Amino acid sequence: MSEQVTAAVREVLPALRERAQEAEDRRRVPDESIKALQLAGVFKLLQPARYGGHEADPITFYETIRAIAGACGSTGWVSSVVGIHPWQLGLFPDEAQREVWGDDPDSRISSSYAPTGRAKLVDGGYELTGRWSFSSGCDHASWVFLGGVVTDGDGKQVDFCTFLLPRKDYVIEDVWDTVGLRGTGSNDVIVEKVYVPRHRALSFADTSKCVCPGQEVNTSPLYKLPFASLFSYAITTPIIGMATGAYNAHVEHMAARVRVSYKGERSNEDPFAKVRIAHAAGEIDAAWLQLKYNMTELMDLANRGERIPLPLRLRIRRDQVRGTGRAIEAIDLLFENSGGRALRTGTPIQRFWRDAHAGRVHAINDPERALAMFGNGEFGIPVQDAML
């Protein structure tokens, strides 16, 4: 089934590419694109088979996202973030899964994980209040994941959870007006004293231990992976896809470009342009090959039922932030060598450049934090972080 999804996505890539400017203008992915990706099965790649999903290998999911982002950065970003959420819902108690997928297996979930709201313990669950930013694709979702610190009656912090809320329990405020990833519709989500039952909360402590309630019904090794490893690459992969799209657009652009200042020399005859292309291609390949290598090792351990060791988790986070960095370096090399015509509104190179730099500022891409954690691990210094 995964191969059918991949083939179906290839069919819709030209349409996604044509709608890239429309996504920017609307500040959200066009409904037609979401519908096409839904019909292709993209949002079910990591969904449990019990609810019509494919339970695909993560690499298949990332390969699909890379292709989509290579056509339209914003569409690739939303596809990745929304597409990883069925996997996370598979970690929740089955009661929560039934609420979302029982009547509609195509239900989608957006998210905002930063604990910018307040959750306090009440009988049977939690009372949640707050505002969360950057919920990509929220207009195309009927549920949302929200991060929150949990406090008891005395105001003492007792947990850090992801909360699942239906669309009737939150308000979306249209605030997304940016220079990059304009088409993601990453608006704010507002919640005011909403009751969240206990089965619609998942502790980050459980996801870090890879021991979650959903594993009782979703027994595939796919659901025994660390949240941080999968989610962090769901952010880096579309950026690698944008770099790939920029690379292809740049090569096509340079094949026809004439450099006026160099006596009419065609750019494809310029040896320095070729060197930049080679450097960019190498950076993109390095980012992608490390991702595949790490995910292959991660799944091999899960398939054998073995514990995911901390050194591997640290390496994944190290290579994830470096993968983002490599993709950005590649796009910068290409953009700097594209000439003034690439600056025109509507050209793919400048759009990929803006989108990738917008994705770069996502919190999960903070290189110093991830690299320092890796260094601590190498020196035997204890490392504790929710995103490991």
Side-chain angles (χ1 to χ4, degrees):
M1 289 298 293
S2 298
E3 294 78 9
Q4 295 177 13
V5 175
T6 302
V9 167
R10 282 198 297 267
E11 294 281 329
V12 303
L13 290 180
L16 300 182
R17 194 172 291 111
E18 290 177 5
R19 296 191 195 113
Q21 187 59 47
E22 181 183 351
E24 282 220 325
D25 296 340
R26 290 188 179 187
R27 295 183 296 112
R28 55 177 279 174
V29 177
D31 294 341
E32 300 90 336
S33 295
I34 294 295
K35 182 66 174 178
L37 294 172
Q38 175 186 313
L39 291 174
V42 171
F43 302 115
K44 287 187 176 179
L45 279 171
L46 300 181
Q47 189 162 314
R50 297 168 55 251
Y51 290 104
H54 303 303
E55 294 188 7
D57 186 287
I59 293 177
T60 300
F61 173 73
Y62 295 131
E63 286 174 339
T64 303
I65 295 303
R66 181 185 181 185
I68 296 169
C72 172
S74 287
T75 305
W77 183 274
V78 170
S79 299
S80 192
V81 173
V82 174
I84 203 75
H85 293 154
W87 173 84
Q88 187 183 6
L89 182 57
L91 307 181
F92 275 70
D94 190 42
E95 187 175 354
Q97 298 177 50
R98 287 199 307 270
E99 284 185 282
V100 176
W101 291 319
D103 294 328
D104 184 6
D106 289 318
S107 293
R108 291 183 292 271
I109 309 168
S110 66
S111 68
S112 182
Y113 293 105
T116 55
R118 304 184 306 279
K120 63 180 181 180
L121 290 171
V122 296
D123 289 343
Y126 313 83
E127 183 183 270
L128 187 65
T129 295
R131 174 188 286 264
W132 288 260
S133 298
F134 315 123
S135 188
S136 300
C138 57
D139 290 318
H140 299 292
S142 53
W143 294 78
V144 69
F145 284 138
L146 300 174
V149 171
V150 181
T151 58
D152 60 17
D154 298 324
K156 179 183 177 183
Q157 181 176 331
V158 295
D159 207 349
F160 176 25
C161 293
T162 297
F163 299 96
L164 172 66
L165 280 71
R167 184 66 182 82
K168 66 180 179 61
D169 285 349
Y170 60 92
V171 173
I172 296 173
E173 185 171 329
D174 186 352
V175 298
W176 189 248
D177 191 2
T178 58
V179 297
L181 290 178
R182 285 182 58 82
T184 61
S186 303
N187 290 305
D188 285 6
V189 171
I190 303 170
V191 176
E192 183 63 36
K193 292 185 177 181
V194 166
Y195 172 72
V196 182
R198 187 168 289 121
H199 68 270
R200 285 205 256 114
L202 185 67
S203 173
F204 270 92
D206 290 343
T207 60
S208 294
K209 296 173 186 174
C210 299
V211 179
C212 298
Q215 293 169 346
E216 295 177 8
V217 290
N218 299 320
T219 58
S220 166
L222 175 65
Y223 301 101
K224 296 179 174 63
L225 303 176
F227 168 82
S229 298
L230 262 70
F231 181 77
S232 61
Y233 267 141
I235 297 300
T236 289
T237 296
I239 299 177
I240 297 175
M242 295 169 209
T244 306
Y247 179 87
N248 293 333
H250 176 78
V251 171
E252 181 180 352
H253 170 72
M254 294 295 278
R257 182 185 174 212
V258 175
R259 303 191 68 161
V260 177
S261 59
Y262 289 95
K263 300 179 181 179
E265 177 187 61
R266 298 185 67 85
S267 292
N268 62 5
E269 299 169 349
D270 179 1
F272 304 111
K274 297 171 185 176
V275 169
R276 281 180 178 252
I277 285 174
H279 275 301
E283 293 301 314
I284 295 169
D285 285 348
W288 185 246
L289 290 172
Q290 283 189 311
L291 182 155
K292 292 184 69 174
Y293 178 82
N294 289 333
M295 283 296 113
T296 299
E297 183 171 347
L298 194 69
M299 277 306 299
D300 284 347
L301 289 169
N303 285 327
R304 295 198 300 268
E306 297 182 19
R307 181 174 174 271
I308 309 299
L310 181 62
L312 175 57
R313 298 180 190 219
L314 288 168
R315 191 181 81 209
I316 287 173
R317 289 286 282 114
R318 178 200 70 187
D319 294 344
Q320 175 258 316
V321 296
R322 284 298 302 124
T324 295
R326 287 190 170 101
I328 293 295
E329 290 166 19
I331 289 180
D332 284 349
L333 276 171
L334 300 171
F335 185 64
E336 290 167 5
N337 201 47
S338 293
R341 295 185 186 278
L343 296 173
R344 289 177 174 173
T345 301
T347 60
I349 297 173
Q350 55 82 29
R351 183 168 53 242
F352 282 124
W353 183 82
R354 289 185 289 106
D355 286 348
H357 277 273
R360 164 67 183 81
V361 301
H362 189 286
I364 204 72
N365 284 325
D366 181 350
E368 288 79 15
R369 183 177 300 277
L371 298 179
M373 288 194 299
F374 179 84
N376 283 334
E378 291 295 282
F379 284 122
I381 300 171
V383 180
Q384 290 185 332
D385 193 281
M387 292 310 294
L388 276 180

